[in-house]
């Protein structure tokens, strides 16, 4: 079956003429037809354009990903195609240009099958905040897929595409990858251009990808990473050949286990899965060391000040005047602003805008925003010090597997607390990855790997080594084989 092949296998089969790009795309389109509706994983399908594009890719097409179908998170601008960011505000928005990441992936030969569902403006950990309704977890459709890139993760898990893009501001690639049993990587802040990626919290937002294996992620990340003069935070540093770095050899690698990530809160059954995964890494020759990241407990409060502050500023542009949703029959300018924003934004987005405006306001700026900037520095310094001792960090991604849709109800604070293991790496800007490590009650558990700034190759190689001796990443949810 085509959806069981790796990206390299599909590319090779097309090169020899055993498979055409058109056949590959048609295969995944059939799966989308069959499954995407039930999972609610896509907001927009690009059937006609994809068929047309795939038809033009011959067996001799250049490009590392020529003929590989892909789904883009609906946060990435795609020229001529609706780009909603999961919001009613942008339900009518057709992007006039492509995001750099989209452009680079297209140049590498990928075929865009559609746009993935997501939490509105990437705010959420369960994908229940989308204007288009929640995404369902293919492993059990009564459960959440994680968020905010839940549509992308569910699409890869269900075999609707070999790869998908995502963004991670505080965990939105690693967490849904973990809960859906796929591999996901968030590179170093500045590695993938944010140009054309709708801004949530600009100092944290980072694009990355989902695929089934570290090997597939290496190919996709290699194509989307790199300096972009159109993004002032993009880093001008050569992109190594990630695929060539996959030796599978991690002998002598020092891997740190942060005590704070294994403390109370981590569900025992999930912990057992992580412990076993760490034993596998040790058996591969890695040296396991206990480390401390002492400011971990400040991460949730720091993030939930910094991210809303930046969001409140970024979302000021959606005013009903220039583009996006506009209310009916405004009576004056103020009515136009307030009703357009009140009707166009969902509840969680409004909550963040209020928190952000509050922590940035004259009387509270020093007490909240400035303080958060300082604690953010401490969290980043923890990682700097840890990486003087170890080459990689291994930890859980979440405290427990996926929870039931609706289970968190209207309890934003519990939802925020869920992000405790993913937020620190985002605040520090270091690269992170989730690899499938096992199951608890039929639901996937992810192992989180973190590396020093710009060491994505080390991360991918460790994930690859793990996947050489385990087959968690090859499992498919029942009904999606
Ligand atoms: N769950 C976090 C939030 O809601 C992170 C989201 C993200 O990474 N986009 O802000």
């Amino acid at each position: 079956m085509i959806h069981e092949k790796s990206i390299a296998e599909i590319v090779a089969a097309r090169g020899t003429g055993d498979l055409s790009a058109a056949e590959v795309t048609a295969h995944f389109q059939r799966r989308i037809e069959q499954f995407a509706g039930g999972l609610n994983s896509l907001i927009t399908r690009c059937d006609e354009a994809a068929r047309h594009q795939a038809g033009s890719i011959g067996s001799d097409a250049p490009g590392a990903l020529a003929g590989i179908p892909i789904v883009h998170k609906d946060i990435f601008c795609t020229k001529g195609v609706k780009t909603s960011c999961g919001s009613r505000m942008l339900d009518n928005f057709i992007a006039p240009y492509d995001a750099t990441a989209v452009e680079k992936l297209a140049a590498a030969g990928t075929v865009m099958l559609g746009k993935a569902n997501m939490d509105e403006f990437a705010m959420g950990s369960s994908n229940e905040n989308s204007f288009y309704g929640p995404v369902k977890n293919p492993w059990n459709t009564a459960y959440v897929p994680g968020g905010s890139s839940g549509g992308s993760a569910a699409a890869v898990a269900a075999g609707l595409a070999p790869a998908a893009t995502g963004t991670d501001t505080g965990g939105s690639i690693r967490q849904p990858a973990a809960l859906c049993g796929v591999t996901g990587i968030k590179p170093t802040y500045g590695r993938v251009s944010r140009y054309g990626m709708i801004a949530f919290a600009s100092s944290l937002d980072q694009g990355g990808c989902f695929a089934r294996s570290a090997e597939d992620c290496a190919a996709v990340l290699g194509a989307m990473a790199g300096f972009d003069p159109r993004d002032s935070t993009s880093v001008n540093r050569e992109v190594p050949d990630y695929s060539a770095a996959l030796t599978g050899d991690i002998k002598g690698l020092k891997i740190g286990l942060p005590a704070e990530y294994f403390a109370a809160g981590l569900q025992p059954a999930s912990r057992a899965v992580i412990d076993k995964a760490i034993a596998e890494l040790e058996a591969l020759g890695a040296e396991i060391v206990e480390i401390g990241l002492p400011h971990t407990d400040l991460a949730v409060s720091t993030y939930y000040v910094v991210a809303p502050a930046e969001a409140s500023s970024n979302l000021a542009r959606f005013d009903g005047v220039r583009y996006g949703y506009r209310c009916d029959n405004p009576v004056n300018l103020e009515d136009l602003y307030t009703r357009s924003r009140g009707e166009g934004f969902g509840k969680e987005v409004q909550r963040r805008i209020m928190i952000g405006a509050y922590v940035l306001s004259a009387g509270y700026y020093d007490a909240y925003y400035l303080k958060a900037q300082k604690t953010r520095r401490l969290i980043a310094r923890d990682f700097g010090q840890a990486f003087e001792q170890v080459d990689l960090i291994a930890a859980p991604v979440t405290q427990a597997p996926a929870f039931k849709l609706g289970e968190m109800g209207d309890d934003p604070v519990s939802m925020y607390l869920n992000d405790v293991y993913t937020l620190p790496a985002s605040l520090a800007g270091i690269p992170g990855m989730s690899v499938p490590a096992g199951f608890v009650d039929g639901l996937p558990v992810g192992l989180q790997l973190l590396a020093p700034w710009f060491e994505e190759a080390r991360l991918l190689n460790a994930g690859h080594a793990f996947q050489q001796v385990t087959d968690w990443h090859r499992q498919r949810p029942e009904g999606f084989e």
Side-chain angles (χ1 to χ4, degrees):
M1 290 301 257
I2 298 174
H3 61 278
E4 287 309 309
K5 292 188 189 301
S6 71
I7 287 180
E9 285 167 352
I10 296 176
V11 170
R14 186 195 40 91
T16 57
D18 287 344
L19 264 182
S20 69
E23 278 173 85
V24 174
T25 286
H27 176 79
F28 285 102
Q29 285 181 323
R30 276 192 298 275
R31 290 186 64 84
I32 285 176
E33 183 64 39
Q34 195 179 351
F35 299 120
L39 296 172
N40 197 24
S41 52
L42 299 183
I43 292 173
T44 302
R45 282 166 59 170
C46 309
D47 294 350
E48 203 37 58
R51 253 193 302 277
H52 183 78
Q53 195 197 343
S56 71
I57 299 173
S59 64
D60 56 350
L65 300 173
I68 296 298
I70 196 162
V71 164
H72 289 303
K73 184 177 184 181
D74 211 17
I75 198 169
F76 287 99
C77 284
T78 43
K79 188 174 179 176
V81 176
K82 171 168 144 174
T83 301
S84 74
C85 218
S87 182
R88 181 182 194 190
M89 185 58 90
L90 291 175
D91 182 45
N92 62 2
F93 179 64
I94 309 289
Y97 61 91
D98 276 331
T100 299
V102 167
E103 195 178 271
K104 278 175 165 282
L105 284 165
T110 60
V111 175
M112 176 169 73
L113 296 180
K115 305 289 298 285
N117 201 349
M118 57 179 283
D119 277 311
E120 185 176 6
F121 285 100
M123 298 173 190
S125 314
S126 67
N127 223 127
E128 294 171 292
N129 295 337
S130 169
F131 171 60
Y132 302 93
V135 175
K136 292 170 186 156
N137 190 321
W139 289 94
N140 184 332
T141 52
Y143 286 74
V144 304
S148 65
S149 315
S152 302
V156 172
L160 311 188
T165 52
T167 63
D168 191 310
T169 300
S172 282
I173 291 178
R174 289 160 288 155
Q175 190 250 18
L179 303 194
C180 287
V182 299
T183 307
I185 181 163
K186 167 202 110 75
T188 310
Y189 181 77
R191 183 88 278 192
V192 167
S193 170
R194 291 185 300 109
Y195 180 77
M197 200 175 97
I198 296 171
F200 161 13
S202 310
S203 76
L204 294 153
D205 297 342
Q206 182 53 210
C209 59
F210 298 90
R212 284 187 92 196
S213 64
E215 185 195 327
D216 285 0
C217 279
V220 177
L221 184 64
M224 70 192 290
F227 176 61
D228 180 7
R230 293 177 295 189
D231 170 6
S232 63
T233 59
S234 155
V235 176
N236 195 350
R237 192 171 162 140
E238 208 179 316
V239 180
D241 184 338
Y242 296 131
S243 300
L246 304 179
T247 60
D249 179 7
I250 57 164
K251 265 191 215 72
L253 201 75
K254 271 195 175 171
I255 299 183
L257 306 184
E260 296 77 4
Y261 288 59
F262 291 87
L266 177 59
Q267 195 198 69
S270 295
R271 180 176 182 143
V273 168
I274 300 300
D275 285 346
K276 202 161 153 257
I278 289 161
E280 299 274 9
L281 294 170
E282 199 169 12
L284 285 165
E287 187 189 331
I288 308 296
V289 191
E290 288 259 344
I291 58 162
L293 294 168
H295 296 96
T296 300
D297 62 340
L298 297 177
V300 175
S301 30
T302 301
Y303 174 89
Y304 280 99
V305 170
V306 173
E310 295 183 16
S312 74
S313 158
N314 276 325
L315 270 51
R317 74 191 67 173
F318 302 105
D319 55 7
V321 176
R322 283 165 291 184
Y323 51 84
Y325 179 80
R326 179 180 293 175
C327 67
D328 285 335
N329 310 316
V331 295
N332 56 34
L333 188 61
E334 192 173 332
D335 184 44
L336 167 75
Y337 287 155
T338 51
R339 276 204 295 125
S340 296
R341 287 168 68 81
E343 294 165 16
F345 288 137
K347 233 161 74 178
E348 182 60 26
V349 173
Q350 295 190 19
R351 184 180 290 126
R352 306 268 181 125
I353 291 173
M354 284 192 279
I355 297 171
Y358 179 82
V359 300
L360 288 174
S361 62
Y364 296 103
Y365 182 93
D366 288 358
Y368 293 106
Y369 187 70
L370 204 62
K371 187 82 169 198
Q373 293 294 7
K374 290 178 182 167
T375 52
R376 180 177 187 177
R377 176 67 65 86
L378 295 175
I379 291 164
R381 205 170 59 189
D382 279 358
F383 283 109
Q385 285 168 351
F387 287 127
E388 284 171 15
Q389 257 181 284
V390 296
D391 304 306
L392 273 188
I393 290 172
V397 179
T398 56
Q399 296 187 323
F403 47 91
K404 279 208 168 104
L405 283 155
E407 189 179 311
M408 293 272 177
D410 208 8
D411 184 359
V413 176
S414 309
M415 194 75 97
Y416 299 168
L417 288 170
N418 248 322
D419 297 339
V420 55
Y421 301 149
T422 52
L423 299 176
S426 294
L427 289 162
I430 58 169
M433 183 173 175
S434 175
V435 289
F439 293 86
V440 169
D441 298 331
L443 293 167
V445 174
L447 170 73
Q448 181 168 216
L449 296 170
L450 301 171
W453 294 268
F454 296 103
E455 295 295 344
E456 287 82 9
R458 192 184 297 169
L459 209 53
L460 288 160
N461 185 42
H464 180 65
F466 182 72
Q467 292 177 340
Q468 297 306 293
V469 295
T470 57
D471 71 351
W472 306 114
H473 61 293
R474 289 204 193 86
Q475 313 285 319
R476 280 280 185 213
E478 211 183 303
F480 296 91
E481 296 90 351

